[in-house]
Coordinates of all heavy atoms in Angstrom, one line a residue:
M57 N -103.4 81.1 -11.1 CA -102.3 81.9 -10.7 C -101.6 82.4 -12.0 O -101.6 81.8 -13.0 CB -101.3 81.0 -10.0 CG -100.2 81.8 -9.3 SD -99.2 80.8 -8.1 CE -100.3 80.7 -6.8
L58 N -101.2 83.6 -11.9 CA -100.5 84.3 -13.1 C -99.2 83.7 -13.3 O -98.5 83.1 -12.4 CB -100.3 85.8 -12.8 CG -101.6 86.5 -12.5 CD1 -101.3 88.0 -12.0 CD2 -102.6 86.6 -13.6
D59 N -98.6 83.8 -14.5 CA -97.3 83.3 -14.9 C -96.3 84.3 -14.5 O -95.8 85.1 -15.2 CB -97.2 83.0 -16.4 CG -95.9 82.3 -16.7 OD1 -95.2 81.8 -15.8 OD2 -95.6 82.3 -17.9
N60 N -95.9 84.3 -13.2 CA -94.9 85.2 -12.6 C -93.6 84.6 -12.4 O -92.8 85.1 -11.5 CB -95.4 85.8 -11.3 CG -96.7 86.6 -11.5 OD1 -97.0 87.0 -12.6 ND2 -97.4 86.9 -10.5
G61 N -93.3 83.5 -13.0 CA -92.0 82.8 -12.7 C -92.2 81.5 -12.0 O -93.2 80.9 -12.0
P62 N -91.2 81.2 -11.2 CA -91.2 79.9 -10.5 C -92.3 79.8 -9.4 O -92.7 80.8 -8.9 CB -89.8 79.9 -9.8 CG -89.4 81.3 -9.7 CD -90.0 82.0 -10.8
V63 N -92.8 78.6 -9.3 CA -93.8 78.3 -8.3 C -93.2 77.2 -7.4 O -92.8 76.1 -7.9 CB -95.1 77.9 -8.9 CG1 -96.1 77.4 -7.8 CG2 -95.7 79.0 -9.7
E64 N -93.1 77.4 -6.1 CA -92.5 76.5 -5.2 C -93.6 75.9 -4.3 O -94.6 76.6 -4.1 CB -91.4 77.1 -4.3 CG -90.2 77.6 -5.2 CD -89.2 78.4 -4.4 OE1 -89.5 78.7 -3.2 OE2 -88.2 78.8 -4.9
Q65 N -93.4 74.7 -3.9 CA -94.3 74.1 -2.9 C -94.1 74.7 -1.6 O -92.9 74.7 -1.0 CB -94.0 72.5 -2.8 CG -94.4 71.8 -4.0 CD -95.9 71.6 -4.1 OE1 -96.7 72.4 -3.7 NE2 -96.3 70.5 -4.6
I66 N -95.1 75.3 -1.0 CA -95.0 76.1 0.3 C -95.8 75.4 1.3 O -97.0 75.1 1.1 CB -95.5 77.5 0.1 CG1 -94.8 78.2 -1.1 CG2 -95.3 78.3 1.4 CD1 -93.4 78.6 -0.9
D67 N -95.2 75.1 2.4 CA -95.9 74.4 3.6 C -96.1 75.5 4.6 O -95.2 76.1 5.2 CB -95.0 73.3 4.1 CG -95.6 72.6 5.3 OD1 -96.4 73.2 6.0 OD2 -95.3 71.4 5.4
L68 N -97.4 75.8 4.9 CA -97.8 76.9 5.8 C -97.1 76.6 7.2 O -96.6 77.6 7.8 CB -99.3 77.0 5.9 CG -99.8 77.9 7.0 CD1 -99.4 79.4 6.7 CD2 -101.3 77.9 7.0
L69 N -97.1 75.4 7.7 CA -96.5 75.2 9.0 C -95.0 75.4 9.0 O -94.5 75.9 10.0 CB -96.9 73.7 9.4 CG -98.4 73.5 9.7 CD1 -98.6 72.0 10.1 CD2 -98.9 74.4 10.7
K70 N -94.3 75.1 7.9 CA -92.9 75.4 7.9 C -92.6 76.9 7.8 O -91.7 77.4 8.4 CB -92.2 74.7 6.7 CG -92.2 73.2 6.9 CD -91.5 72.5 5.8 CE -91.4 71.0 6.1 NZ -90.8 70.3 5.0
V71 N -93.5 77.6 7.1 CA -93.4 79.1 7.1 C -93.6 79.6 8.5 O -92.9 80.5 9.0 CB -94.4 79.7 6.1 CG1 -94.4 81.3 6.2 CG2 -94.0 79.3 4.7
A72 N -94.6 79.1 9.2 CA -95.0 79.5 10.6 C -93.8 79.3 11.5 O -93.4 80.2 12.3 CB -96.2 78.8 11.1
E73 N -93.1 78.1 11.4 CA -92.0 77.8 12.2 C -90.8 78.8 11.9 O -90.2 79.3 12.8 CB -91.6 76.4 12.0 CG -92.6 75.4 12.6 CD -92.3 74.0 12.3 OE1 -91.2 73.7 11.7 OE2 -93.2 73.1 12.6
R74 N -90.6 79.0 10.6 CA -89.5 79.9 10.2 C -89.8 81.3 10.8 O -88.8 82.0 11.2 CB -89.5 80.0 8.6 CG -88.4 81.0 8.1 CD -88.7 81.3 6.7 NE -89.8 82.2 6.5 CZ -90.3 82.5 5.3 NH1 -89.8 82.0 4.2 NH2 -91.4 83.3 5.3
D75 N -91.0 81.8 10.8 CA -91.4 83.1 11.2 C -91.7 83.1 12.7 O -92.2 84.1 13.2 CB -92.5 83.7 10.4 CG -92.2 83.9 9.0 OD1 -91.0 84.0 8.7 OD2 -93.1 84.1 8.2
K76 N -91.4 82.0 13.4 CA -91.6 81.9 14.9 C -93.0 82.2 15.3 O -93.2 82.8 16.4 CB -90.6 82.8 15.6 CG -89.1 82.4 15.3 CD -88.1 83.3 16.0 CE -86.7 82.9 15.8 NZ -86.2 82.1 14.8
W77 N -94.0 81.8 14.5 CA -95.4 81.9 14.8 C -95.8 83.4 15.1 O -96.7 83.6 15.9 CB -95.8 81.0 15.9 CG -95.8 79.5 15.5 CD1 -94.8 78.6 15.5 CD2 -96.9 78.9 14.8 NE1 -95.2 77.4 15.0 CE2 -96.5 77.6 14.5 CE3 -98.2 79.3 14.4 CZ2 -97.3 76.7 13.8 CZ3 -99.0 78.4 13.7 CH2 -98.5 77.1 13.4
R78 N -95.1 84.3 14.5 CA -95.4 85.7 14.6 C -96.0 86.3 13.3 O -95.4 86.0 12.3 CB -94.2 86.5 15.0 CG -93.7 86.3 16.4 CD -94.0 87.4 17.2 NE -93.6 87.2 18.6 CZ -94.3 87.7 19.6 NH1 -95.3 88.4 19.4 NH2 -93.9 87.4 20.8
C79 N -97.0 87.0 13.4 CA -97.6 87.7 12.2 C -96.6 88.7 11.8 O -96.1 89.5 12.5 CB -98.9 88.3 12.6 SG -99.6 89.3 11.2
Q80 N -96.2 88.6 10.5 CA -95.2 89.5 10.0 C -95.8 90.9 9.6 O -95.1 91.8 9.3 CB -94.5 88.9 8.8 CG -93.8 87.6 9.1 CD -92.7 87.7 10.2 OE1 -91.8 88.5 10.0 NE2 -92.9 87.1 11.3
L81 N -97.1 91.0 9.7 CA -97.7 92.3 9.5 C -98.0 93.1 10.7 O -97.8 94.3 10.7 CB -99.1 92.1 8.7 CG -98.9 91.4 7.3 CD1 -100.3 91.2 6.7 CD2 -98.1 92.3 6.4
C82 N -98.4 92.4 11.8 CA -98.7 93.2 13.1 C -97.7 92.8 14.2 O -97.7 93.5 15.2 CB -100.1 93.0 13.5 SG -100.4 91.4 14.3
G83 N -97.0 91.7 14.1 CA -96.0 91.3 15.1 C -96.6 90.4 16.2 O -95.9 90.0 17.1
G84 N -98.0 90.2 16.2 CA -98.6 89.4 17.2 C -98.4 87.9 17.0 O -98.0 87.5 15.9
I85 N -98.7 87.2 18.0 CA -98.6 85.7 18.0 C -99.7 85.1 17.2 O -100.9 85.5 17.4 CB -98.5 85.1 19.4 CG1 -97.2 85.6 20.0 CG2 -98.6 83.6 19.4 CD1 -96.9 85.1 21.4
V86 N -99.5 84.2 16.3 CA -100.5 83.5 15.6 C -100.9 82.2 16.3 O -100.0 81.5 16.8 CB -99.9 83.2 14.1 CG1 -100.9 82.4 13.4 CG2 -99.6 84.5 13.4
V87 N -102.2 81.9 16.3 CA -102.7 80.7 17.0 C -102.1 79.5 16.3 O -102.2 79.4 15.1 CB -104.2 80.7 17.0 CG1 -104.8 79.5 17.6 CG2 -104.8 82.0 17.7
K88 N -101.5 78.6 17.1 CA -100.9 77.4 16.5 C -101.8 76.3 16.1 O -101.5 75.4 15.4 CB -99.8 76.9 17.5 CG -98.6 77.8 17.6 CD -97.6 77.1 18.5 CE -96.4 78.1 18.7 NZ -95.4 77.5 19.6
D89 N -103.0 76.3 16.7 CA -103.9 75.2 16.4 C -104.3 75.1 15.0 O -104.9 76.1 14.4 CB -105.2 75.4 17.3 CG -106.2 74.2 17.2 OD1 -106.0 73.4 16.3 OD2 -107.1 74.2 18.1
R90 N -104.1 74.0 14.3 CA -104.3 73.9 12.8 C -105.8 74.2 12.5 O -106.2 74.6 11.5 CB -103.9 72.6 12.3 CG -103.9 72.5 10.8 CD -103.0 71.3 10.4 NE -102.8 71.1 9.0 CZ -102.2 71.9 8.2 NH1 -101.7 73.0 8.6 NH2 -102.0 71.5 6.9
R91 N -106.7 73.9 13.5 CA -108.1 74.1 13.2 C -108.5 75.6 13.2 O -109.6 75.9 12.8 CB -108.9 73.4 14.4 CG -108.8 71.9 14.3 CD -109.4 71.3 15.5 NE -108.6 71.7 16.7 CZ -108.8 71.4 17.9 NH1 -109.8 70.6 18.2 NH2 -108.1 71.8 18.9
S92 N -107.5 76.4 13.6 CA -107.8 77.9 13.6 C -107.5 78.6 12.3 O -107.6 79.8 12.2 CB -107.0 78.5 14.7 OG -105.6 78.5 14.4
Q93 N -107.2 77.8 11.2 CA -106.8 78.4 10.0 C -107.8 79.3 9.4 O -107.5 80.2 8.6 CB -106.4 77.4 9.0 CG -105.0 76.8 9.3 CD -104.6 75.8 8.2 OE1 -105.3 75.4 7.3 NE2 -103.3 75.4 8.3
R94 N -109.1 79.2 9.8 CA -110.1 80.1 9.3 C -110.5 81.1 10.3 O -111.4 81.9 10.1 CB -111.3 79.3 8.8 CG -111.0 78.5 7.6 CD -112.3 78.0 6.9 NE -112.1 77.3 5.7 CZ -112.0 77.8 4.5 NH1 -112.1 79.1 4.4 NH2 -111.8 77.0 3.5
A95 N -109.9 81.1 11.5 CA -110.1 82.1 12.5 C -109.3 83.4 12.3 O -108.3 83.3 11.7 CB -109.7 81.5 13.9
P96 N -109.8 84.5 12.7 CA -109.2 85.8 12.4 C -107.7 85.8 12.9 O -106.9 86.4 12.3 CB -110.0 86.8 13.2 CG -111.4 86.2 13.3 CD -111.1 84.7 13.4
M97 N -107.4 85.2 14.0 CA -106.1 85.2 14.6 C -105.3 83.9 14.2 O -104.2 83.7 14.6 CB -106.1 85.3 16.1 CG -106.8 86.6 16.5 SD -106.2 88.1 15.8 CE -104.7 88.4 16.8
G98 N -105.8 83.1 13.3 CA -105.2 81.9 12.8 C -104.2 82.2 11.7 O -104.1 83.3 11.2
P99 N -103.4 81.2 11.3 CA -102.4 81.4 10.3 C -102.9 81.5 8.9 O -103.8 80.8 8.5 CB -101.5 80.1 10.5 CG -102.5 79.1 11.0 CD -103.5 79.8 11.8
S100 N -102.2 82.3 8.1 CA -102.4 82.4 6.7 C -101.1 82.7 6.0 O -100.2 83.3 6.6 CB -103.5 83.4 6.3 OG -103.0 84.7 6.5
L101 N -101.0 82.4 4.8 CA -99.8 82.6 4.0 C -100.0 83.9 3.2 O -100.9 84.1 2.5 CB -99.7 81.5 3.0 CG -98.4 81.3 2.3 CD1 -97.2 81.1 3.2 CD2 -98.4 80.2 1.2
D102 N -99.1 84.9 3.5 CA -99.2 86.2 2.9 C -98.1 86.3 1.9 O -96.9 85.9 2.1 CB -99.0 87.3 3.9 CG -98.9 88.7 3.3 OD1 -99.7 89.0 2.5 OD2 -97.9 89.4 3.6
H103 N -98.4 86.7 0.6 CA -97.4 87.0 -0.4 C -96.9 88.4 -0.1 O -97.7 89.4 -0.2 CB -97.9 86.9 -1.8 CG -98.2 85.4 -2.1 ND1 -99.4 84.8 -1.9 CD2 -97.4 84.5 -2.7 CE1 -99.4 83.6 -2.3 NE2 -98.2 83.4 -2.8
I104 N -95.6 88.6 0.1 CA -95.0 89.9 0.4 C -95.3 90.9 -0.8 O -95.8 92.0 -0.6 CB -93.5 89.8 0.7 CG1 -93.3 88.9 2.0 CG2 -92.9 91.2 0.9 CD1 -91.9 88.4 2.2
V105 N -95.0 90.5 -2.0 CA -95.4 91.1 -3.2 C -96.5 90.3 -3.7 O -96.3 89.1 -4.1 CB -94.2 91.3 -4.2 CG1 -94.8 91.9 -5.5 CG2 -93.1 92.1 -3.6
P106 N -97.7 90.8 -3.7 CA -98.9 90.0 -4.2 C -98.7 89.4 -5.6 O -98.1 90.0 -6.5 CB -100.0 91.0 -4.2 CG -99.6 92.0 -3.2 CD -98.1 92.1 -3.3
V107 N -99.1 88.2 -5.8 CA -99.0 87.5 -7.1 C -99.7 88.4 -8.1 O -99.3 88.5 -9.2 CB -99.7 86.1 -7.0 CG1 -99.8 85.5 -8.4 CG2 -98.8 85.2 -6.1
S108 N -100.8 89.0 -7.7 CA -101.6 89.9 -8.7 C -100.7 91.1 -9.1 O -101.1 91.7 -10.1 CB -102.9 90.4 -8.1 OG -102.6 91.2 -7.0
L109 N -99.7 91.4 -8.4 CA -98.8 92.6 -8.8 C -97.4 92.1 -9.3 O -96.5 92.9 -9.3 CB -98.7 93.5 -7.6 CG -99.9 94.1 -7.0 CD1 -99.7 95.0 -5.8 CD2 -100.6 94.9 -8.1
G110 N -97.3 90.8 -9.6 CA -96.1 90.3 -10.2 C -95.2 89.5 -9.2 O -94.1 89.1 -9.6
G111 N -95.7 89.3 -8.0 CA -94.9 88.5 -7.0 C -94.9 87.1 -7.4 O -95.8 86.6 -8.1
T112 N -94.0 86.3 -6.9 CA -93.9 84.9 -7.1 C -94.4 84.1 -5.9 O -94.5 84.6 -4.8 CB -92.4 84.5 -7.4 OG1 -91.6 84.9 -6.2 CG2 -91.9 85.2 -8.6
H113 N -94.8 82.9 -6.2 CA -95.2 81.9 -5.1 C -93.9 81.1 -4.7 O -93.8 80.0 -5.1 CB -96.3 81.0 -5.6 CG -96.9 80.2 -4.5 ND1 -97.7 80.7 -3.5 CD2 -96.8 78.9 -4.3 CE1 -98.1 79.8 -2.7 NE2 -97.6 78.6 -3.2
T114 N -93.0 81.8 -4.0 CA -91.8 81.2 -3.6 C -91.5 81.5 -2.1 O -92.2 82.4 -1.5 CB -90.6 81.8 -4.4 OG1 -90.5 83.2 -4.2 CG2 -90.7 81.5 -5.9
W115 N -90.7 80.7 -1.5 CA -90.4 80.8 -0.1 C -89.9 82.3 0.2 O -90.2 82.8 1.3 CB -89.3 79.8 0.4 CG -89.8 78.5 0.5 CD1 -89.8 77.5 -0.5 CD2 -90.4 77.9 1.6 NE1 -90.4 76.4 0.0 CE2 -90.8 76.5 1.3 CE3 -90.7 78.3 2.9 CZ2 -91.4 75.7 2.1 CZ3 -91.4 77.5 3.8 CH2 -91.7 76.2 3.4
A116 N -89.2 82.9 -0.6 CA -88.6 84.2 -0.4 C -89.7 85.3 -0.4 O -89.5 86.4 0.1 CB -87.5 84.5 -1.4
N117 N -90.9 85.0 -1.0 CA -91.9 86.0 -1.2 C -93.2 85.7 -0.3 O -94.2 86.2 -0.5 CB -92.3 86.1 -2.6 CG -93.2 87.3 -2.9 OD1 -93.0 88.4 -2.4 ND2 -94.3 87.1 -3.6
V118 N -93.0 84.8 0.7 CA -94.2 84.5 1.5 C -93.8 84.7 3.0 O -92.6 84.6 3.4 CB -94.7 83.0 1.3 CG1 -95.3 82.8 0.0 CG2 -93.7 82.0 1.7
Q119 N -94.8 85.0 3.8 CA -94.6 85.2 5.2 C -95.9 84.8 5.9 O -96.9 84.7 5.3 CB -94.2 86.6 5.5 CG -95.3 87.6 5.1 CD -94.8 89.1 5.3 OE1 -93.7 89.3 5.6 NE2 -95.7 90.0 4.9
L120 N -95.7 84.6 7.2 CA -96.9 84.2 8.1 C -97.6 85.5 8.4 O -97.0 86.5 8.8 CB -96.4 83.5 9.3 CG -97.5 83.0 10.3 CD1 -98.3 81.9 9.7 CD2 -96.9 82.6 11.6
A121 N -99.0 85.4 8.4 CA -99.8 86.5 8.9 C -101.1 86.0 9.5 O -101.5 84.9 9.1 CB -100.1 87.4 7.7
H122 N -101.6 86.7 10.4 CA -103.0 86.4 10.9 C -103.9 86.5 9.7 O -103.7 87.4 8.8 CB -103.5 87.5 11.9 CG -102.8 87.4 13.2 ND1 -102.1 88.5 13.7 CD2 -102.7 86.5 14.2 CE1 -101.6 88.2 14.9 NE2 -101.9 87.0 15.2
L123 N -104.9 85.7 9.6 CA -105.9 85.8 8.5 C -106.4 87.2 8.5 O -106.6 87.8 7.4 CB -107.0 84.7 8.7 CG -108.1 84.8 7.7 CD1 -107.5 84.5 6.3 CD2 -109.1 83.7 8.0
R124 N -106.8 87.8 9.6 CA -107.3 89.1 9.7 C -106.4 90.1 9.1 O -106.8 91.0 8.3 CB -107.6 89.5 11.2 CG -108.1 90.9 11.3 CD -108.2 91.3 12.8 NE -106.9 91.4 13.3 CZ -106.6 91.6 14.6 NH1 -107.6 91.7 15.5 NH2 -105.4 91.7 15.0
C125 N -105.1 90.1 9.4 CA -104.2 91.0 8.9 C -104.0 90.9 7.4 O -103.8 91.8 6.7 CB -102.8 90.9 9.6 SG -102.9 91.3 11.4
N126 N -103.9 89.6 7.0 CA -103.7 89.3 5.5 C -104.9 89.9 4.7 O -104.7 90.5 3.7 CB -103.6 87.8 5.4 CG -102.9 87.5 4.0 OD1 -102.7 88.3 3.2 ND2 -102.7 86.2 3.8
L127 N -106.1 89.7 5.2 CA -107.3 90.2 4.5 C -107.3 91.7 4.5 O -107.7 92.3 3.5 CB -108.6 89.6 5.1 CG -108.8 88.1 4.9 CD1 -110.0 87.7 5.7 CD2 -108.9 87.7 3.5
S128 N -106.8 92.3 5.6 CA -106.8 93.8 5.7 C -105.7 94.3 4.7 O -106.0 95.4 4.1 CB -106.4 94.2 7.1 OG -106.2 95.5 7.2
K129 N -104.6 93.6 4.5 CA -103.6 94.1 3.6 C -104.1 94.1 2.2 O -103.7 94.9 1.4 CB -102.4 93.1 3.8 CG -101.3 93.4 2.8 CD -100.2 92.4 2.9 CE -99.3 92.5 1.6 NZ -98.6 91.3 1.3
G130 N -104.9 93.1 1.8 CA -105.4 93.0 0.5 C -104.2 92.7 -0.5 O -103.4 91.9 -0.2
N131 N -104.2 93.4 -1.7 CA -103.2 93.1 -2.6 C -102.2 94.2 -2.7 O -101.5 94.4 -3.7 CB -103.8 92.9 -4.0 CG -104.3 94.1 -4.7 OD1 -104.7 95.1 -4.0 ND2 -104.4 94.1 -6.0
R132 N -101.9 94.9 -1.6 CA -100.9 95.8 -1.5 C -99.6 95.2 -1.1 O -99.6 94.2 -0.3 CB -101.2 96.9 -0.5 CG -102.4 97.8 -0.9 CD -102.6 98.9 0.2 NE -102.9 98.4 1.5 CZ -104.0 98.0 2.0 NH1 -105.1 98.1 1.2 NH2 -104.2 97.6 3.2
P133 N -98.4 95.6 -1.6 CA -97.2 95.0 -1.1 C -97.0 95.3 0.4 O -97.5 96.3 0.9 CB -96.1 95.8 -1.9 CG -96.8 96.3 -3.2 CD -98.3 96.5 -2.7
A134 N -96.2 94.4 1.0 CA -96.1 94.5 2.5 C -95.5 95.8 2.9 O -95.8 96.4 4.0 CB -95.2 93.4 3.0
N135 N -94.6 96.4 2.1 CA -94.0 97.7 2.5 C -95.0 98.9 2.4 O -94.7 100.0 2.9 CB -92.7 98.0 1.7 CG -93.0 98.1 0.2 OD1 -94.1 97.9 -0.2 ND2 -92.0 98.5 -0.5
E136 N -96.2 98.6 1.8 CA -97.2 99.7 1.8 C -98.2 99.5 2.8 O -99.1 100.4 3.0 CB -97.9 99.7 0.4 CG -97.0 100.1 -0.7 CD -97.7 100.2 -2.1 OE1 -98.9 100.1 -2.1 OE2 -97.0 100.3 -3.1
Q137 N -98.2 98.4 3.6 CA -99.1 98.1 4.6 C -98.7 98.8 5.9 O -97.6 98.6 6.3 CB -99.2 96.6 4.9 CG -100.0 96.2 6.1 CD -101.5 96.4 6.0 OE1 -102.0 96.6 4.9 NE2 -102.1 96.4 7.1
L138 N -99.5 99.6 6.5 CA -99.2 100.2 7.8 C -99.2 99.1 8.8 O -100.0 98.2 8.9 CB -100.2 101.3 8.2 CG -100.3 102.5 7.3 CD1 -101.4 103.4 7.8 CD2 -99.0 103.3 7.3
R139 N -98.2 99.1 9.6 CA -98.0 98.1 10.7 C -99.2 98.2 11.6 O -99.5 99.3 12.2 CB -96.7 98.2 11.4 CG -96.4 97.0 12.3 CD -94.9 97.0 12.5 NE -94.6 95.9 13.4 CZ -94.2 94.7 13.0 NH1 -94.1 94.4 11.8 NH2 -94.0 93.7 13.9
L140 N -100.0 97.1 11.8 CA -101.1 97.2 12.7 C -100.7 97.0 14.1 O -100.0 96.0 14.4 CB -102.1 96.0 12.3 CG -102.6 96.1 10.8 CD1 -103.3 94.8 10.5 CD2 -103.4 97.3 10.6
V141 N -101.0 97.9 15.0 CA -100.6 97.8 16.4 C -101.8 97.8 17.2 O -102.8 98.4 17.0 CB -99.7 99.0 16.7 CG1 -99.2 98.9 18.2 CG2 -98.5 99.0 15.8

């Protein structure tokens, strides 16, 4: 990980609860089953401003996303990602 400032311990399940199990990229419901973490509609941790572009690994810079949506976003900031509908 790049030296972009503070690094906080992030719990994916707590982020999912905070975000009400909704993908913050497409708005769809994320599968709650922990075994689905590698499934396209399963949960993944998305950095709003990617670490590779200077973003931090902090609660304020992470959001819940479907794995599929997160992979589609790549390393673009969330405000540059077209909302997937």
Side-chain angles (χ1 to χ4, degrees):
M57 191 171 285
L58 303 173
D59 185 17
N60 296 343
V63 174
E64 298 174 352
Q65 291 283 33
I66 308 290
D67 182 328
L68 176 60
L69 294 179
K70 289 183 181 179
V71 172
E73 290 171 10
R74 178 195 71 189
D75 293 346
K76 298 181 178 18
W77 288 93
R78 290 256 175 211
C79 175
Q80 300 301 297
L81 298 175
C82 77
I85 294 180
V86 175
V87 177
K88 290 183 182 182
D89 185 347
R90 192 161 183 67
R91 293 171 294 184
S92 69
Q93 285 184 350
R94 294 196 177 267
M97 302 306 280
S100 72
L101 192 64
D102 174 50
H103 289 89
I104 299 165
V105 176
V107 172
S108 65
L109 298 178
T112 58
H113 188 70
T114 59
W115 285 92
N117 191 45
V118 296
Q119 61 188 0
L120 181 67
H122 291 120
L123 178 58
R124 175 188 70 183
C125 295
N126 198 355
L127 292 173
S128 174
K129 175 187 165 203
N131 74 333
R132 293 183 303 272
N135 62 353
E136 291 182 15
Q137 170 69 18
L138 294 176
R139 191 157 178 95
L140 303 171
V141 182

